[in-house]
């Protein structure tokens, strides 16, 4: 029995399996969508040679770590892990900030303008990341 002073204790499992499964699948879609934005690919055509090798590869290492966190969290969420919900929240916020920094022309910077398709995919990814955040918070019983 819960102590009366604790009105909303931390869950020991994710409360709504449907929301959890949807969030996990959408997180995987988000990762797949970001993979299509690899520099030099069909969508990301900007020149980042001005960043320098260390900054460029450091940013790529961050994006790879973000993708691994997201995939690991999604798989664990499908298995009912509460901690994975928190990993999904961190990953989704990471994607939100990456998109905001890019669309805000903060980082990474390039002399080339953001291609239309890249901008559209990033906006869709931004919305998707916010939706994942809402679903995970709902699964954790926060909203």
């Amino acid at each position: 029995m819960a102590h009366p002073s604790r009105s909303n204790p931390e869950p020991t499992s994710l409360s709504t399996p449907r929301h959890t499964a949807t969030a996990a699948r959408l997180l995987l879609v988000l990762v797949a969508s970001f993979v299509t934005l690899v520099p030099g690919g069909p969508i990301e055509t900007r020149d980042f040679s001005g960043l320098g090798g260390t900054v460029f590869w450091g940013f790529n290492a961050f994006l790879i770590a973000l993708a691994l966190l997201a995939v690991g969290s999604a798989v664990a969420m499908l298995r009912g892990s509460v901690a994975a919900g928190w990993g999904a929240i961190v990953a989704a916020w990471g994607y939100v900030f990456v998109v905001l920094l890019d669309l805000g022309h903060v980082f990474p910077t390039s002399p080339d303008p953001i291609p239309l398709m890249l901008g559209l995919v990033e906006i869709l990814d931004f919305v998707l990341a916010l939706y994942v955040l809402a679903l995970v918070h709902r699964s954790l019983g926060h909203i």
Side-chain angles (χ1 to χ4, degrees):
M1 184 167 163
H3 190 276
S5 66
R6 289 191 78 184
S7 61
N8 192 11
E10 278 298 311
T12 55
S13 65
L14 297 169
S15 63
T16 53
R18 183 182 54 148
H19 289 18
T20 304
T22 301
R25 289 183 186 106
L26 290 177
L27 192 56
L28 293 172
V29 169
L30 181 60
V31 172
S33 175
F34 252 77
V35 167
T36 68
L37 304 180
V38 64
I43 296 175
E44 176 58 276
T45 58
R46 296 176 291 175
D47 176 21
F48 293 110
S49 59
L51 289 178
T54 303
V55 173
F56 178 79
W57 289 110
F59 183 57
N60 281 328
F62 169 75
L63 291 176
I64 291 167
L66 189 58
L68 291 173
L69 173 64
V71 169
S73 295
V75 169
M77 282 172 56
L78 289 171
R79 295 180 180 167
S81 168
V82 174
W86 287 106
I89 288 171
V90 170
W93 275 116
Y95 284 117
V96 165
F97 289 124
V98 166
V99 169
L100 288 177
L101 290 174
D102 192 23
L103 292 178
H105 303 286
V106 176
F107 184 84
T109 57
S110 169
D112 304 324
I114 294 176
L116 176 63
M117 188 62 167
L118 174 64
L120 292 174
V121 170
E122 284 188 340
I123 290 168
L124 291 172
D125 286 345
F126 177 81
V127 171
L128 184 57
L130 292 178
Y131 189 51
V132 167
L133 281 168
L135 287 172
V136 173
H137 278 293
R138 178 164 283 178
S139 294
L140 291 171
H142 298 162
I143 53 175

